[in-house]
Short mmCIF file of all heavy atoms in Angstrom, two decimals:
data_model
loop_
_atom_site.label_atom_id
_atom_site.label_comp_id
_atom_site.label_asym_id
_atom_site.label_seq_id
_atom_site.Cartn_x
_atom_site.Cartn_y
_atom_site.Cartn_z
N SER A 1945 53.63 -25.95 10.38
CA SER A 1945 53.57 -24.86 11.36
C SER A 1945 53.65 -23.49 10.70
O SER A 1945 53.19 -22.49 11.28
CB SER A 1945 54.72 -25.02 12.36
OG SER A 1945 55.97 -24.84 11.71
N GLN A 1946 54.23 -23.40 9.50
CA GLN A 1946 54.38 -22.11 8.83
C GLN A 1946 53.02 -21.54 8.41
O GLN A 1946 52.93 -20.34 8.12
CB GLN A 1946 55.29 -22.26 7.61
CG GLN A 1946 56.66 -22.81 7.93
CD GLN A 1946 57.39 -21.98 8.99
OE1 GLN A 1946 57.40 -20.76 8.92
NE2 GLN A 1946 57.96 -22.66 9.99
N MET A 1947 51.99 -22.34 8.37
CA MET A 1947 50.67 -21.86 7.97
C MET A 1947 49.68 -21.91 9.14
O MET A 1947 48.47 -21.83 8.92
CB MET A 1947 50.13 -22.67 6.79
CG MET A 1947 49.86 -24.13 7.10
SD MET A 1947 49.31 -25.07 5.67
CE MET A 1947 50.88 -25.37 4.84
N CYS A 1948 50.20 -22.04 10.36
CA CYS A 1948 49.32 -22.18 11.53
C CYS A 1948 49.58 -21.03 12.50
O CYS A 1948 50.62 -21.01 13.19
CB CYS A 1948 49.56 -23.52 12.25
SG CYS A 1948 49.14 -24.94 11.22
N ASP A 1949 48.68 -20.08 12.52
CA ASP A 1949 48.77 -18.97 13.47
C ASP A 1949 48.43 -19.50 14.87
O ASP A 1949 47.34 -20.05 15.08
CB ASP A 1949 47.77 -17.88 13.06
CG ASP A 1949 47.91 -16.63 13.92
OD1 ASP A 1949 48.71 -16.66 14.86
OD2 ASP A 1949 47.22 -15.64 13.63
N PRO A 1950 49.33 -19.37 15.84
CA PRO A 1950 49.06 -19.93 17.19
C PRO A 1950 47.80 -19.37 17.84
O PRO A 1950 47.23 -20.01 18.72
CB PRO A 1950 50.31 -19.54 17.99
CG PRO A 1950 51.38 -19.34 16.96
CD PRO A 1950 50.68 -18.81 15.74
N TRP A 1957 48.96 -26.92 17.41
CA TRP A 1957 50.12 -26.86 18.30
C TRP A 1957 49.97 -27.83 19.49
O TRP A 1957 50.96 -28.40 19.95
CB TRP A 1957 50.30 -25.43 18.81
CG TRP A 1957 50.64 -24.49 17.68
CD1 TRP A 1957 49.81 -23.66 17.03
CD2 TRP A 1957 51.93 -24.32 17.08
NE1 TRP A 1957 50.48 -22.96 16.05
CE2 TRP A 1957 51.80 -23.36 16.05
CE3 TRP A 1957 53.19 -24.89 17.30
CZ2 TRP A 1957 52.87 -22.95 15.27
CZ3 TRP A 1957 54.27 -24.48 16.51
CH2 TRP A 1957 54.10 -23.53 15.51
N ARG A 1978 60.60 -22.77 19.71
CA ARG A 1978 61.25 -21.72 18.92
C ARG A 1978 60.48 -21.46 17.62
O ARG A 1978 60.26 -20.31 17.22
CB ARG A 1978 62.70 -22.16 18.59
CG ARG A 1978 63.49 -21.07 17.86
CD ARG A 1978 64.77 -21.63 17.28
NE ARG A 1978 64.50 -22.63 16.25
CZ ARG A 1978 64.14 -22.32 15.00
NH1 ARG A 1978 63.98 -21.07 14.64
NH2 ARG A 1978 63.91 -23.28 14.12
N ILE A 1979 60.04 -22.54 16.99
CA ILE A 1979 59.27 -22.39 15.75
C ILE A 1979 57.95 -21.67 16.03
O ILE A 1979 57.51 -20.80 15.27
CB ILE A 1979 59.04 -23.76 15.10
CG1 ILE A 1979 60.36 -24.35 14.62
CG2 ILE A 1979 58.05 -23.65 13.95
CD1 ILE A 1979 60.25 -25.78 14.12
N LYS A 1980 57.34 -22.02 17.16
CA LYS A 1980 56.07 -21.39 17.50
C LYS A 1980 56.24 -19.89 17.71
O LYS A 1980 55.43 -19.07 17.24
CB LYS A 1980 55.50 -22.05 18.75
CG LYS A 1980 54.12 -21.54 19.15
CD LYS A 1980 53.58 -22.30 20.33
CE LYS A 1980 52.18 -21.82 20.69
NZ LYS A 1980 51.63 -22.54 21.86
N ARG A 1981 57.34 -19.50 18.42
CA ARG A 1981 57.58 -18.07 18.61
C ARG A 1981 57.85 -17.37 17.29
O ARG A 1981 57.39 -16.26 17.04
CB ARG A 1981 58.77 -17.88 19.57
CG ARG A 1981 58.47 -18.26 21.00
CD ARG A 1981 59.54 -17.71 21.93
NE ARG A 1981 60.88 -18.22 21.62
CZ ARG A 1981 61.39 -19.33 22.11
NH1 ARG A 1981 60.68 -20.08 22.94
NH2 ARG A 1981 62.61 -19.72 21.78
N SER A 1982 58.59 -18.01 16.45
CA SER A 1982 58.90 -17.42 15.14
C SER A 1982 57.64 -17.22 14.30
O SER A 1982 57.43 -16.17 13.69
CB SER A 1982 59.90 -18.32 14.39
OG SER A 1982 60.12 -17.82 13.09
N VAL A 1983 56.79 -18.23 14.30
CA VAL A 1983 55.54 -18.13 13.53
C VAL A 1983 54.64 -17.04 14.10
O VAL A 1983 54.04 -16.25 13.38
CB VAL A 1983 54.82 -19.49 13.50
CG1 VAL A 1983 53.44 -19.34 12.87
CG2 VAL A 1983 55.64 -20.51 12.73
N GLN A 1984 54.58 -16.99 15.42
CA GLN A 1984 53.73 -15.97 16.06
C GLN A 1984 54.24 -14.58 15.74
O GLN A 1984 53.46 -13.66 15.49
CB GLN A 1984 53.68 -16.22 17.56
CG GLN A 1984 52.64 -15.37 18.27
CD GLN A 1984 52.37 -15.86 19.67
OE1 GLN A 1984 53.07 -16.74 20.15
NE2 GLN A 1984 51.38 -15.29 20.31
N ALA A 1985 55.55 -14.40 15.76
CA ALA A 1985 56.12 -13.11 15.41
C ALA A 1985 55.85 -12.77 13.95
O ALA A 1985 55.66 -11.60 13.59
CB ALA A 1985 57.62 -13.12 15.69
N THR A 1986 55.83 -13.76 13.10
CA THR A 1986 55.54 -13.51 11.69
C THR A 1986 54.12 -13.04 11.49
O THR A 1986 53.85 -12.11 10.71
CB THR A 1986 55.77 -14.80 10.87
OG1 THR A 1986 57.12 -15.23 11.05
CG2 THR A 1986 55.49 -14.55 9.39
N TYR A 1987 53.19 -13.65 12.22
CA TYR A 1987 51.78 -13.26 12.05
C TYR A 1987 51.48 -11.93 12.73
O TYR A 1987 50.61 -11.18 12.29
CB TYR A 1987 50.86 -14.35 12.62
CG TYR A 1987 50.63 -15.48 11.65
CD1 TYR A 1987 51.32 -16.68 11.77
CD2 TYR A 1987 49.72 -15.35 10.61
CE1 TYR A 1987 51.13 -17.72 10.89
CE2 TYR A 1987 49.51 -16.38 9.72
CZ TYR A 1987 50.21 -17.57 9.86
OH TYR A 1987 50.00 -18.59 8.97
N ASN A 1988 52.19 -11.64 13.84
CA ASN A 1988 51.95 -10.39 14.55
C ASN A 1988 52.81 -9.29 13.93
O ASN A 1988 53.84 -8.89 14.48
CB ASN A 1988 52.29 -10.54 16.04
CG ASN A 1988 51.31 -11.47 16.73
OD1 ASN A 1988 50.24 -11.74 16.22
ND2 ASN A 1988 51.69 -11.97 17.90
#
Side-chain angles (χ1 to χ4, degrees):
S1945 66
Q1946 303 304 314
M1947 65 182 80
C1948 296
D1949 186 356
W1957 295 100
R1978 185 193 65 78
I1979 293 173
K1980 184 176 182 181
R1981 289 195 300 272
S1982 175
V1983 172
Q1984 190 165 8
T1986 302
Y1987 278 101
N1988 292 343

